[in-house]
Amino acid sequence: MRQKKTQQQIADECNISKSLLSKIENGQTSSAIATLSKISNALDVPLTWLLEDDDEKNLVLLKKGDRQSKVGDEHMGYSFELLANRSPYTGVEPTIVHVTPKDANLREEMYTHSDDEFIYILKGTIKLAYDDDEYIMEQGDTAYFTGTKPHLFIPVDNEGAEVLTLFIETEMSVN
């Protein structure tokens, strides 16, 4: 279903300025994945639609060399790789989050978004800050959590980390 919303309405829904939304839209600035997730929710489109220009396909094969390497500003505490541009009907967005090494990490603000999130630590160690608690997670560890609770991946050393992340759209009913 297509919705007709103004740029100001989208900005207001996402709690960002119209100016920032315009810069993100025109590729003049990078943005936190949480902000991009809010924008995709406001537009009622999958996150991949904001990151990729590919048409929807039944099968998406994406060779490592053909993948856009890293998106985002490492000074936000992470960058990420989109692993697949999937159908809007699947509700799953696979990415690899590259957690910035400890000394370079400037981000402390926790994230929230409407999707559930599954993570698998591919490489390194992180501290998962989640809803007033902290958990050390190492290679091979997994977690599944509700994105509406404040959370953040925090590096524990200067090796950084790689985290396979699946954003999973949830149906929220309002009564």
Side-chain angles (χ1 to χ4, degrees):
M1 173 170 88
R2 295 247 180 225
Q3 299 178 20
K4 293 187 178 184
K5 293 183 180 179
T6 66
Q7 197 175 44
Q8 187 63 58
Q9 288 171 316
I10 298 295
D12 290 346
E13 243 179 273
C14 299
N15 293 322
I16 60 174
S17 69
K18 182 179 173 185
S19 171
L20 176 59
L21 180 61
S22 179
K23 287 179 181 176
I24 293 168
E25 182 179 19
N26 294 315
Q28 295 172 341
T29 188
S30 57
S31 181
I33 197 163
T35 301
L36 295 176
S37 180
K38 287 178 186 177
I39 293 169
S40 72
N41 287 333
L43 294 171
D44 197 26
V45 298
L47 180 59
T48 53
W49 286 19
L50 300 181
L51 302 173
E52 290 288 323
D53 293 329
D54 294 343
D55 293 331
E56 183 182 327
K57 300 174 185 168
N58 290 327
L59 172 65
V60 178
L61 293 176
L62 195 55
K63 298 283 191 178
K64 182 177 180 177
D66 296 336
R67 229 175 21 236
Q68 189 174 7
S69 57
K70 292 183 181 179
V71 179
D73 181 353
E74 290 184 352
H75 294 291
M76 290 189 293
Y78 71 89
S79 59
F80 58 95
E81 292 178 64
L82 184 63
L83 296 179
N85 182 15
R86 292 295 299 145
S87 162
Y89 308 109
T90 65
V92 176
E93 303 294 337
T95 62
I96 295 178
V97 176
H98 298 269
V99 180
T100 304
K102 186 175 183 176
D103 286 349
N105 187 27
L106 304 175
R107 178 133 182 108
E108 294 179 5
E109 180 185 338
M110 306 263 281
Y111 297 110
T112 60
H113 48 78
S114 62
D115 298 333
D116 279 0
E117 193 167 335
F118 170 82
I119 63 172
Y120 175 83
I121 311 303
L122 294 170
K123 178 180 172 187
T125 303
I126 65 165
K127 186 185 311 179
L128 171 63
Y130 183 78
D131 196 30
D132 296 329
D133 289 312
E134 293 183 346
Y135 307 91
I136 297 295
M137 298 188 67
E138 299 175 326
Q139 183 175 341
D141 292 348
T142 65
Y144 187 101
F145 53 89
T146 303
T148 56
K149 301 278 188 177
H151 59 280
L152 180 65
F153 301 165
I154 302 167
V156 297
D157 57 32
N158 282 318
E159 300 301 312
E162 292 181 8
V163 181
L164 173 64
T165 304
L166 299 177
F167 295 97
I168 303 162
E169 184 179 316
T170 57
E171 292 296 323
M172 311 253 325
S173 60
V174 177
N175 293 330

